[in-house]
Every structure is written in structure tokens, then in C-alpha cells.
Amino acid sequence: MKIKKALCCLLICLAISWLFAGCGPKDSENTLTVLNYGKYLDPDAIEMFEEETGIKVELEEYVTPENMYTKYRAGAIDYDLICTSDYMVEKLIQEGEVLELDYSNIPLSENLDSTYFEFSKSFDPENKYAIPYFFGTVGILYNKDMVDESKVNSWNILWDQEYSGQIIMADSVRDSFMVALKLLGCSLNTTDDAQLKEAQDLLLKQKPLVYSYLVDEAQDEMISENAAMAVVYSGEAGYALEFNDKLAFSVPEEGSNMWIDSWFIPKSARHKENAEKFLNFLCREDISMMNFDYVYYATPNQKTRKALDLDLQENTTIFPPTETLNNCEVLKPLDDETTMKLNLLWKEVKAAD
């Protein structure tokens, strides 16, 4: 009799738990699950959105676009909104993993300069899937007291024995190979085996000179003067220059990567309407300004840029001039075979003594 009562109680408890499980936050209409680079959204802006809309934002972060792809493809979390780099947006569009945007729900997208929608057509030809968030270049952040400034106009300085142990390279397969490929006079989107191997040989030759392979931490190392130079994104350089006036930034004459980080709504989205509300919120001038101040990358929001101090508007580190952008390429997604090959080459570089 006691066993039957215990079993009955257990079944009742399970039924109650199942009933309330359906009311949990994961199934609530008032949630939004966002996947973004680390330190790429002002936490105060997120809090404002939550207060204004009653929508709870669950934020997940990643380091590189390849990390993002792995997280998304794992399928463990139903992301509603993702921000990542151009070539990875294109890859997911090609794979049918991106939903079309309803711009009637994002009227403030008109605040964005049409120039950057034009740039976006290189990976989103009809501007149906992605909204630009930040843009910039990749170059060399260097300490003027430690580096011969006449040499930073070429990627070749990163192979100069004089700076052994003082060079920070990007801990990113596409960015590091971009440097070597551009130095070789190749496209950063090459799929040619011989060119990729030649680029790997250059990176292996360089490795004994490298202080560290970093991404977000590179700017802090340069501010602290722990290295002479670092391969960084232009926004990181602009931020670092604010904290150490010995630093400067150069986009080498061989050319570089012009990147656009964009928002898109993945096929996994359960709350598309909430995602579009958040996109509209991000396009608002005051929120765009908050995120610019927090991230310090070039914003495509023309109202925000016009509201900046003149010296910031004319800062060529943050806002690259047209001639610099015209000497850059936008990364394209590589086919699976080349991607696997490139990842293997990169692992061999990282594992080399």
C-alpha cells in the first residue's frame, strides 16, 4: 500500500513538473537568444531593450566566425539572432540557414548608410538577409618608439628578425593566412593548393618571431607595451590609440581584408518578430552611439557618425578612407575541401615548434 502511495505521489510530481516546464523561459514569447562576438554589445543597451520591450535577452558569445559556425551547427541552442562576419553569413545563406528579413519591422534601418548595403551585396546580393553592424579593415597596430615607421607600409615587417618575440599575430586562420597571401601577391580567397602551401611556409618561417597568437587580447598587450606590433582589426586599433599615444595603425600597401560584421536571423529562430524588434532598436541613433562608444568600430549608422566629434569622423583608423577600402578584398566562403585543407595547414602552423 505504501509503495502504491509513493508511486502515485511520484507520478503527480512528474505531471506537475511537465506542466510547468512548458512555461519556462525557453518557450516564452518574451525571450530573444542572441549569438555574438565577445564584447560586441553594450550591456546597458541590452538592459534598455529589456526594460522597453519586456523581452529577455539571452546572450551567447564566441571568438571567431568558425567558432560561431560550430556552435550554430551543433543545434543545442535555438538562436534567434546572430552577428558574424561577411563570409560566414554568405556560407549560411548558401546552406539555406538564413531567413529573409521583413524590413517593415525594421524601419530604422534607413539610418544606415546605403554605401554599406552596397558593400554587403558581395555576400548578400539582394540585401535580403543581413543588416550591417560594424565594418573596417585589418592592419598592423604598432608602437612608434619600438618600430621603424618606414617599414610598416608592408606586411613584410612581420617577418623582420629585428622584432623577434615582439610580434602578435591573429589567432584566426583566415586573418593570418590573409597576411601571408597578400604578401605573396595572392587573393585572400584563393583555393590554389600551391599558393596556400606557400602561405603556410611563410607562417611557419615567421613562427619563431611571434610573441603570441591573439584576438581580443591583442589591443591590451599593445596598450601595455608588451609587444612592438600586432595584426588587429581597425576598431581594436582605434580603441588602443585612445589609451596609448605611442601607438599607430597601418594598412599595408599589398592590401588587406575589408570586413563587414552583420546581423542575420537563422533558420533556428523561434522568435523572429523579437529579433526584428531588436534589430530596429540597434539601428536607433542613441543605441548605435552607445554601441560605438563601447566597441569603437566603424558604424554604418550615418546619423551616429554625423553626431561624432569631427576628429572622430575624420579618424582614418576607425573610418578607413575610400582608397584604402578599394585596395582591400572581402572574404568569401571557401568550399568544404579547401576549408578542411586550410584548417589542417593552420593546425600545423600552431603545432610547430
Side-chain angles (χ1 to χ4, degrees):
M1 195 72 173
K2 288 181 180 179
I3 293 174
K4 286 184 178 180
K5 283 184 179 180
L7 182 59
C8 184
C9 288
L10 177 60
L11 291 172
I12 291 171
C13 289
L14 286 172
I16 291 171
S17 66
W18 287 335
L19 176 65
F20 283 98
C23 301
K26 287 187 177 179
D27 292 326
S28 170
E29 289 305 309
N30 291 322
T31 62
L32 179 69
T33 305
V34 178
L35 181 59
N36 195 9
Y37 287 107
K39 300 178 182 178
Y40 223 38
L41 268 173
D42 187 334
D44 291 338
I46 294 175
E47 189 175 329
M48 284 177 63
F49 178 77
E50 292 177 329
E51 290 173 355
E52 291 180 17
T53 64
I55 297 170
K56 173 66 177 174
V57 177
E58 301 290 342
L59 179 63
E60 292 272 329
E61 296 181 343
Y62 67 90
V63 178
T64 69
E66 288 73 26
N67 297 148
M68 181 284 299
Y69 184 81
T70 300
K71 272 195 165 192
Y72 172 71
R73 278 304 200 178
I77 298 174
D78 294 322
Y79 297 109
D80 297 308
L81 189 62
I82 298 175
C83 177
T84 196
S85 298
D86 32 51
Y87 69 97
M88 199 56 75
V89 176
E90 183 174 7
K91 180 177 175 66
L92 287 166
I93 290 173
Q94 291 173 350
E95 294 175 356
E97 292 296 323
V98 184
L99 301 180
E100 286 191 30
L101 298 170
D102 183 349
Y103 280 96
S104 65
N105 292 329
I106 319 169
L108 292 179
S109 61
E110 292 183 358
N111 289 344
L112 305 185
D113 190 330
S114 61
T115 301
Y116 302 103
F117 278 105
E118 285 300 313
F119 275 120
S120 296
K121 286 182 178 179
S122 66
F123 58 92
D124 180 14
E126 298 179 58
N127 293 135
K128 292 195 301 186
Y129 300 104
I131 284 192
Y133 183 47
F134 288 118
F135 70 94
T137 57
V138 177
I140 301 172
L141 176 64
Y142 63 96
N143 188 307
K144 292 179 285 187
D145 287 354
M146 301 168 71
V147 172
D148 181 349
E149 290 195 77
S150 68
K151 295 182 179 180
V152 291
N153 63 344
S154 171
W155 292 116
N156 195 54
I157 194 172
L158 298 171
W159 277 261
D160 192 325
Q161 295 281 344
E162 181 182 347
Y163 304 105
S164 179
Q166 301 177 68
I167 297 167
I168 295 174
M169 281 294 285
D171 192 11
S172 162
V173 56
R174 294 298 301 269
D175 291 324
S176 281
F177 267 83
M178 177 278 292
V179 172
L181 287 167
K182 281 298 180 183
L183 184 57
L184 292 168
C186 304
S187 168
L188 52 81
N189 295 307
T190 184
T191 60
D192 183 272
D193 288 351
Q195 291 179 353
L196 292 175
K197 185 63 175 71
E198 194 175 357
Q200 186 203 36
D201 290 342
L202 267 182
L203 292 173
L204 287 168
K205 181 180 177 182
Q206 179 204 39
K207 187 166 185 187
L209 311 180
V210 174
Y211 164 68
S212 189
Y213 294 89
L214 302 172
V215 182
D216 294 336
E217 304 91 340
Q219 63 186 14
D220 298 322
E221 291 291 304
M222 290 299 298
I223 291 169
S224 300
E225 302 185 15
N226 292 330
M229 67 190 88
V231 174
V232 301
Y233 303 117
S234 51
E236 288 180 309
Y239 177 86
L241 265 58
E242 290 292 306
F243 290 90
N244 189 328
D245 58 12
K246 295 179 184 178
L247 300 180
F249 182 70
S250 170
V251 179
E253 61 189 10
E254 294 93 353
S256 182
N257 168 28
M258 188 274 183
W259 53 266
I260 303 177
D261 290 337
S262 301
W263 292 100
F264 69 92
I265 299 175
K267 196 167 68 174
S268 64
R270 290 187 176 186
H271 309 107
K272 184 174 187 285
E273 187 176 328
N274 290 354
E276 289 172 340
K277 283 182 183 178
F278 192 64
L279 288 174
N280 196 56
F281 176 80
L282 292 175
C283 292
R284 212 168 81 188
E285 182 183 343
D286 61 326
I287 304 304
S288 173
M289 182 65 80
M290 287 176 69
N291 282 319
F292 173 80
D293 288 338
Y294 184 75
V295 179
Y296 231 61
Y297 278 24
T299 174
N301 192 307
Q302 53 195 342
K303 289 191 175 182
T304 299
R305 184 168 179 176
K306 288 176 182 176
L308 295 172
D309 292 339
L310 190 59
D311 61 333
L312 272 177
Q313 291 186 46
E314 297 177 350
N315 186 317
T316 56
T317 296
I318 299 174
F319 295 99
T322 303
E323 56 268 28
T324 297
L325 295 180
N326 287 342
N327 195 34
C328 292
E329 288 184 87
V330 175
L331 283 169
K332 306 291 287 180
L334 303 173
D335 59 81
D336 290 344
E337 183 181 350
T338 303
T339 298
M340 290 176 63
K341 194 173 301 177
L342 191 60
N343 286 338
L344 177 60
L345 293 173
W346 178 235
K347 284 180 181 178
E348 290 173 352
V349 170
K350 295 292 293 294
D353 294 330

